[in-house]
Amino acid sequence: AGVPVFTGKADCPRYAKAELLADYLQVNLPHFRVHKIAQHPDKWEQWLHDICERNGWKHTESPIVWRELLDRGGKGLLLGGVDDFLEYAQRYYGIVLMTMDEEILDIAGENLQAHIETAKEEEEIKSHIKPLQIWITSASAPTCYQLISLLANGEVFGKTTEISIHLLDTEQCKEVLCGVVMEAEDSAFPLLRSISEHTERDGAFIQADIIIVLDDVLLNREGQAFENYICEVSEICQAYAPLIEKNAKSEVRVIASGQTFVNLKAMMIMMYGPSIKPENLIAVATPWESAAKAMLARKLHMNVGGVKDVIVWGNITGSNYIDLSHAKLYGYDGAIWGPADFPRPLLKILYDSEWIHSEFLSAQSSLISRVRHCAGMLPAHAIATVLRYWYHGSPPGEIISVGILTKGQFCIPEGIVFSMPVRFQNGNWEVVTELEINETTKEVLGRLAHELIQEKLVALKEIKEMQPYKAEIITS
């Protein structure tokens, strides 16, 4: 028992003859079924070679007919060509095909046209289900390793959205990248269409929907001046930005993350890539926000998920201010009870103001150190969370801190990337400008903005000083 299968060149008259007989058998025999596969004439020879080699058959003409042994598994039973199929029909069913050559030629022509139209329709359908193209720079970093599974499990982009991940790093990191690719492939994530490693910068960001810029500069070389680090960041962004403009999709979303100069990286990419939309580029502050929430939850003996609206202002990986004045608690086990969605102001519950002004503020330096030296899980989770909000919206009423290009919000000078509270909705974000901030907070924000302006000026100065040097190298 088994299903007859036959395939051949779509324009082949002998294939058309076999198809005509198969259709007749299906109409007149209640239990007869056949599976037909037409191949484009240009692909026929290679297809026939491959299937014969795989099954150990010898056959050289169109069509080829075999019986698929559904109840046994393994390779099918080769019947042969069209003459063998005609003999099979006569021997088992007593049916002889009587038809004119002109009719067979017409069927062959119709088969080819139908095959071409079907192939076009399939290509059109595939064009609408292309996977999201995600590029990650400095992909040998631990954060990238942790991030891949979060992106590929369906929680970030949805359970029906496939993704392709491209890992970019230097040639020295190729072995590490190959190992990550192999492990990701072996994990068989159902939504991971493909993953690949890249070490050539010129081909970076091809058709990118999302670009995640991780650390390219780490503060681990003793004796190097602060200005030199800034110059390195600027040079890297100066290389990335034109490639993003040239190779990525026009609506590409860029996320700057990492342990060093996150605000500066975002700003320099905007500066060197003027066609990159400012609203499509953000810096991630969520690791610091999450770590602060965890510290508060431990103090209050509650679930960290109930601590909301902690704001990180300023320079994410530099001098920042963790603002608790708008923070809320949900599900706090206290004297007053309410529904699960009933918020309570944190500062009214955390009566220990001395702890806030001493331990909490002094602990921020150790918090920064802890975030910078984490193994990658925290920043990876932060990036995945921001991407999920960006695509599907942040929880109703909740605010999230991200670094964005300033436009005078909260009296902060324009033209720097500054961390502030936003909401995500319908694939976009908006600054929560209705928040009221007191004079003390305004003064703090002014000082933080001054630091970022100085960082920007140092970067511009270093680049300007490097230009004659680069010109001299080129001319010599």
Side-chain angles (χ1 to χ4, degrees):
V3 177
V5 180
F6 70 92
T7 184
K9 291 190 293 183
D11 62 346
C12 173
R14 295 170 65 83
Y15 172 74
K17 193 172 185 178
E19 180 187 31
L20 193 63
L21 175 58
D23 289 344
Y24 180 85
L25 293 173
Q26 287 193 113
V27 170
N28 291 278
L29 300 175
H31 301 295
F32 184 88
R33 294 291 179 269
V34 67
H35 183 58
K36 298 176 288 185
I37 308 172
Q39 296 292 335
H40 193 280
D42 296 340
K43 298 180 179 179
W44 164 252
E45 295 294 338
Q46 185 62 48
W47 188 92
L48 180 62
H49 173 271
D50 292 343
I51 195 168
C52 287
E53 184 175 306
R54 186 164 61 248
N55 290 281
W57 297 335
K58 290 184 179 179
H59 192 84
T60 58
E61 297 178 348
S62 169
I64 180 173
V65 186
W66 70 91
R67 182 181 286 278
E68 197 74 41
L69 303 178
L70 299 177
D71 58 341
R72 301 182 191 177
K75 66 180 182 179
L77 176 64
L78 179 65
L79 298 179
V82 65
D83 293 334
D84 301 291
F85 187 49
L86 292 172
E87 183 181 348
Y88 167 85
Q90 183 176 5
R91 179 180 299 176
Y92 282 92
Y93 304 111
I95 294 174
V96 178
L97 181 67
M98 302 294 292
T99 185
M100 302 295 290
D101 289 343
E102 293 81 1
E103 184 181 359
I104 294 296
L105 290 173
D106 289 342
I107 293 172
E110 292 171 2
N111 280 345
L112 179 59
Q113 187 60 36
H115 176 77
I116 292 172
E117 291 176 0
T118 301
K120 277 185 179 179
E121 290 176 2
E122 289 176 354
E123 287 299 318
E124 180 68 19
I125 292 170
K126 287 179 181 178
S127 70
H128 293 296
I129 56 173
K130 288 181 178 177
L132 279 175
Q133 302 294 325
I134 303 172
W135 284 77
I136 306 175
T137 73
S138 302
S140 62
T143 298
C144 177
Y145 183 83
Q146 302 280 353
L147 182 60
I148 289 172
S149 61
L150 297 176
L151 297 178
N153 67 10
E155 296 296 329
V156 175
F157 304 109
K159 296 294 186 180
T160 59
T161 302
E162 292 188 343
I163 64 172
S164 289
I165 298 178
H166 305 268
L167 309 179
L168 177 66
D169 215 315
T170 61
E171 182 66 32
Q172 292 85 344
C173 299
K174 185 174 179 65
E175 187 175 345
V176 175
L177 297 185
C178 290
V180 174
V181 167
M182 188 178 300
E183 189 168 347
E185 289 175 340
D186 290 345
S187 297
F189 296 109
L191 296 175
L192 182 60
R193 175 81 67 84
S194 64
I195 183 169
S196 56
E197 80 281 350
H198 304 264
T199 56
E200 294 294 331
R201 193 178 279 179
D202 290 344
F205 314 130
I206 296 292
Q207 290 297 298
D209 293 291
I210 299 166
I211 298 171
I212 300 168
V213 181
L214 297 181
D215 275 315
D216 293 288
V217 177
L218 296 177
L219 301 176
N220 58 3
R221 292 189 287 273
E222 293 183 6
Q224 181 160 312
F226 178 76
E227 290 78 7
N228 291 346
Y229 289 117
I230 290 183
C231 189
E232 282 190 49
V233 172
S234 300
E235 287 181 341
I236 290 166
C237 295
Q238 194 171 6
Y240 283 165
L243 290 171
I244 295 173
E245 290 185 302
K246 176 185 175 184
N247 296 336
K249 293 179 182 175
S250 59
E251 293 295 327
V252 62
R253 298 180 181 185
V254 183
I255 286 184
S257 182
Q259 303 170 3
T260 56
F261 301 109
V262 173
N263 296 56
L264 183 64
K265 280 188 288 191
M267 188 194 66
M268 300 307 280
I269 290 173
M270 293 183 199
M271 183 180 297
Y272 291 120
S275 69
I276 302 171
K277 297 179 179 180
E279 62 269 24
N280 285 354
L281 204 162
I282 60 178
V284 175
T286 319
W288 282 261
E289 187 180 298
S290 298
K293 289 177 179 177
M295 188 184 301
L296 292 164
R298 286 193 293 269
K299 173 67 176 176
L300 293 165
H301 305 289
M302 64 175 294
N303 189 334
V304 68
V307 184
K308 307 289 186 182
D309 298 351
V310 173
I311 302 172
V312 178
W313 298 95
N315 191 351
I316 295 167
T317 49
S319 296
N320 57 52
Y321 170 52
I322 298 178
D323 183 3
L324 305 182
S325 60
H326 302 279
K328 301 179 184 67
L329 302 179
Y330 292 82
Y332 176 70
D333 186 11
I336 300 175
W337 285 80
D341 60 348
F342 174 68
R344 302 174 66 186
L346 180 142
L347 293 181
K348 289 187 177 181
I349 301 298
L350 188 57
Y351 56 87
D352 192 350
S353 59
E354 184 178 341
W355 179 85
I356 296 174
H357 292 97
S358 57
E359 285 189 48
F360 182 75
L361 292 178
S362 62
Q364 288 189 37
S365 59
S366 62
L367 180 149
I368 292 171
S369 176
R370 191 161 67 248
V371 171
R372 282 183 174 173
H373 292 90
C374 68
M377 187 184 300
L378 176 58
H381 182 265
I383 294 168
T385 299
V386 169
L387 276 172
R388 185 173 74 251
Y389 291 169
W390 208 346
Y391 274 82
H392 300 292
S394 51
E398 190 172 332
I399 55 180
I400 297 91
S401 305
V402 297
I404 60 166
L405 187 66
T406 55
K407 296 183 179 179
Q409 305 97 329
F410 304 108
C411 300
I412 300 166
E414 296 185 23
I416 56 176
V417 171
F418 197 93
S419 179
M420 62 180 70
V422 305
R423 291 193 188 99
F424 290 91
Q425 189 174 11
N426 300 324
N428 301 304
W429 52 262
E430 61 176 6
V431 179
V432 188
T433 52
E434 67 270 20
L435 285 183
E436 294 184 5
I437 57 174
N438 56 37
E439 291 302 319
T440 303
T441 301
K442 287 182 181 179
E443 290 178 11
V444 173
L445 300 189
R447 291 198 299 271
L448 297 178
H450 178 73
E451 179 189 282
L452 284 165
I453 291 170
Q454 293 304 309
E455 198 174 85
K456 177 180 178 180
L457 292 174
V458 170
L460 295 175
K461 177 175 176 291
E462 292 297 321
I463 293 167
K464 187 176 180 180
E465 290 179 354
M466 285 293 292
Q467 295 306 319
Y469 173 70
K470 289 182 179 179
E472 184 179 337
I473 293 175
I474 295 169
T475 55
S476 60

